[in-house]
């Protein structure tokens, strides 16, 4: 029987959508990609790559809602965030996503930086300008991190995401 694959993404400013499309290309030809708002119910699919963006240290709300519907499936998780992908913040965010998918077999995880909405940066700057000790106050470290995030996702991120998912597809097919 032919396996059915789909990629479901939640994306506000396009970063996660870019990764979703790269992953979809790495899956079998008939795999489909949907924004979470248009995604079909997960039950008809054998493998679901589910992705979203990190919002206040959590998978974003739309991604969470969809994840809650997925049970007893083979799944993969992908996320984009402003923080560095090897940071504790990224690890904690992924752990929360994992927890939401605990009734499934998680075959793949991918996380990379994504440019942060300039409107949000502006709001943060205004909110913290009189309080240098605010946890979101602008400082050299934060400036460098946002500048790095502004370069992502890039070609290499897309390639890495595609390769990570292609590998599990090869394993599923080979099993
Ligand atoms: C309201 C809001 C909250 C965010 N919260 C976090 C956060 O807690 N941690 C983080 O690393 N990035 C955070 N970000 C950055 C986004 O996760 C990042 O820019 C992501 O790539 C956006 O993806 P999208 O373009 O698919 O919407 C936040 C962005 C917004 C707009």
């Amino acid at each position: 029987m032919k396996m059915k694959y789909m990629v479901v993404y939640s994306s506000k400013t396009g970063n996660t959508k870019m990764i979703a499309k790269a992953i979809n290309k790495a899956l079998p030809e008939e795999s489909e990609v949907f924004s979470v708002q248009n995604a079909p119910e997960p039950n008809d699919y054998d493998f679901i790559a589910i992705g979203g963006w990190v919002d206040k240290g959590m998978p974003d709300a739309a991604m969470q809602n969809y994840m809650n519907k997925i049970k007893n499936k083979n799944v993969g998780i992908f996320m984009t965030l402003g923080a560095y992908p090897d940071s504790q913040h990224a690890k904690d965010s992924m752990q929360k996503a994992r927890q939401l998918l605990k009734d499934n077999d998680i075959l793949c995880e991918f996380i990379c930086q994504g440019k942060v909405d300039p409107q949000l940066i502006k709001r943060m700057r205004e909110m913290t300008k009189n309080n240098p000790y605010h946890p979101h106050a602008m400082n050299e470290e934060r400036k460098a991190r946002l500048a790095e995030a502004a370069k992502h996702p890039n070609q290499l991120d897309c390639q890495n995401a595609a390769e990570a998912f292609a590998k599990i597809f090869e394993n599923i097919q080979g099993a």
Side-chain angles (χ1 to χ4, degrees):
M1 207 180 68
K2 228 175 167 73
M3 305 263 278
K4 282 186 81 180
Y5 299 79
M6 74 168 161
V7 181
V8 177
Y9 66 87
S10 167
S11 183
K12 206 169 153 211
T13 61
N15 298 331
T16 318
K17 181 178 181 179
M18 199 186 289
I19 297 295
K21 288 186 161 178
I23 290 170
N24 192 48
K25 277 198 196 139
L27 293 178
E29 226 178 275
E30 57 281 6
S31 162
E32 299 171 278
V33 58
F34 298 99
S35 79
V36 73
Q37 289 80 12
N38 300 321
E41 292 299 310
N43 278 349
D44 286 349
Y45 290 81
D46 303 296
F47 176 81
I48 301 154
I50 170 78
W53 54 282
V54 173
D55 182 4
K56 298 179 206 73
M58 297 285 291
D60 73 87
M63 180 188 183
Q64 283 194 42
N65 283 341
Y66 196 85
M67 282 172 146
N68 284 330
K69 297 196 220 175
I70 311 176
K71 308 275 179 224
N72 304 316
K73 297 283 178 190
N74 285 324
V75 294
I77 306 171
F78 59 100
M79 293 206 279
T80 68
L81 83 174
Y84 293 116
D86 57 355
S87 62
Q88 191 57 45
H89 185 68
K91 290 187 181 107
D92 292 346
S93 305
M94 186 56 81
Q95 175 55 30
K96 284 170 187 153
R98 226 178 267 145
Q99 185 58 27
L100 287 160
L101 287 173
K102 64 179 182 340
D103 299 328
N104 300 276
D105 281 337
I106 302 171
L107 305 184
C108 186
E109 294 174 4
F110 177 83
I111 193 160
C112 72
Q113 271 187 302
K115 56 191 110 32
V116 180
D117 184 353
Q119 291 295 333
L120 177 69
I121 298 175
K122 196 169 158 223
R123 255 189 286 137
M124 287 293 178
R125 272 184 189 271
E126 278 162 12
M127 203 174 82
T128 62
K129 68 178 178 225
N130 296 323
N131 181 0
Y133 300 108
H134 189 285
H136 288 111
M138 193 51 76
N139 55 34
E140 287 311 309
E141 191 278 332
R142 171 161 277 116
K143 252 190 230 168
R145 177 157 32 89
L146 288 169
E148 185 57 36
K151 300 180 202 159
H152 297 266
N154 58 22
Q155 268 314 104
L156 186 60
D157 296 321
C158 290
Q159 198 180 314
N160 287 340
E163 277 171 13
F165 277 76
K167 226 175 262 166
I168 59 152
F169 165 58
E170 281 157 25
N171 291 344
I172 293 175
Q173 297 284 303

